[in-house]
Amino acid sequence: MDFRAALLEQTRAFGDQIRSADPATPVPTCGDWTLRQLFRHVGRGNRWAAQIISDRRSQPLDPHDVRDGKPPDDADAAVDWLNAGAQMVIDAVERVGPETRVWTFLGPKPAGWWIRRRLHEATVHRADAALALGEQFELSPELAGDALSEWIERACVDRRLSPVLARGESIHLHASEEKLGPTGEWTIVHDGEGLWWSHSHSKASVALRGPVTDLLLATVRRRTAAEAGLEVFGDTAVWEAWLDSTPY
């Protein structure tokens, strides 16, 4: 997958979605945020990441110190600001080199890591905007699957989260799109090796099956499994405990 092209594409789609909407529209999936706050969060977040990369930072950057971190008041100019921020991430990685290690909230990582991270930040928050506006949210199966993988990977290693999965418990997600092949399955396990995940097919304490975009929305707590029409098998308490401890 070309993460650079996907970042630009998803950012453009997000901006076009919000361009003509009332900025005061509530976004129920993001607490008490409005579309204006959601837009600023995504746009400033890209510039925040780009500045971390460009400055080769080894320490976090206060979001208030982001250069040009506030969008213009004019709607069209604000969308241009949003799109430029996504391009800045890509340009910053190209300047310093994708393997140059910089600060991330998961510890030092290659600068190129930020492109995929910012891509899926836009992907999930575009879903927030669609749900707020009562619009359909669509992703290619490949992109939705990668967004799901990226989130599960982070949830398993992010020290800011405390995933609740007791030793011996496991979760299995199974996308109904056959075209995804082995990458359309996700198993999260807590065993003697600790908490880890893989694309393996296996029995689990609880399993969910359905279209991959719906699996993504349920896993990042944008829709419940029931709202998404997912099939659920096994101990639903295991699933609910995982969701309660892994806010996006």
Side-chain angles (χ1 to χ4, degrees), residues 43-59:
R44 184 167 62 182
N46 282 338
R47 289 167 184 264
W48 173 75
Q51 192 168 327
I52 288 169
I53 298 163
S54 292
D55 295 349
R56 295 177 170 85
R57 292 184 65 92
S58 59
Q59 297 294 325

Side-chain angles (χ1 to χ4, degrees), residues 30-209:
C30 290
D32 58 358
W33 279 9
T34 63
L35 282 179
R36 178 186 290 109
Q37 290 166 302
L38 181 68
F39 180 89
R40 184 176 59 204
H41 171 76
V42 174
R44 184 167 62 182
N46 282 338
R47 289 167 184 264
W48 173 75
Q51 192 168 327
I52 288 169
I53 298 163
S54 292
D55 295 349
R56 295 177 170 85
R57 292 184 65 92
S58 59
Q59 297 294 325
L61 172 68
D62 188 326
H64 294 97
D65 293 333
V66 174
R67 294 185 287 268
D68 195 22
K70 184 180 178 181
D73 292 330
D74 177 76
D76 289 337
V79 171
D80 289 343
W81 171 88
L82 173 77
N83 292 331
Q87 185 65 56
M88 287 170 65
V89 176
I90 295 170
D91 292 346
V93 171
E94 291 181 350
R95 280 197 302 273
V96 307
E99 298 304 319
T100 298
R101 296 181 75 79
V102 299
W103 179 89
T104 82
F105 48 80
L106 298 182
K109 287 188 177 295
W113 177 91
W114 277 110
I115 294 177
R116 185 181 182 220
R117 172 78 286 279
R118 296 311 304 173
L119 160 61
H120 293 311
E121 188 77 0
T123 298
V124 172
H125 287 318
R126 191 165 72 79
D128 289 320
L131 292 168
L133 296 169
E135 299 176 352
Q136 291 281 51
F137 175 68
E138 296 181 354
L139 283 177
S140 70
E142 293 79 9
L143 186 55
D146 191 71
L148 184 52
S149 295
E150 195 260 355
W151 170 238
I152 292 172
E153 179 181 323
R154 285 202 292 131
C156 287
V157 301
D158 192 340
R159 294 181 180 178
R160 300 172 305 170
L161 302 175
S162 299
V164 173
L165 198 62
R167 181 168 293 194
E169 290 182 342
S170 56
I171 297 170
H172 183 68
L173 306 177
H174 193 135
S176 54
E177 291 91 346
E178 293 184 2
K179 65 185 294 185
L180 290 176
T183 64
E185 300 192 53
W186 298 261
T187 298
I188 308 168
V189 174
H190 185 182
D191 61 13
E193 300 298 319
L195 185 67
W196 56 276
W197 77 278
S198 70
H199 282 301
S200 64
H201 176 80
S202 61
K203 290 186 177 294
S205 305
V206 63
L208 289 82
R209 187 179 190 281

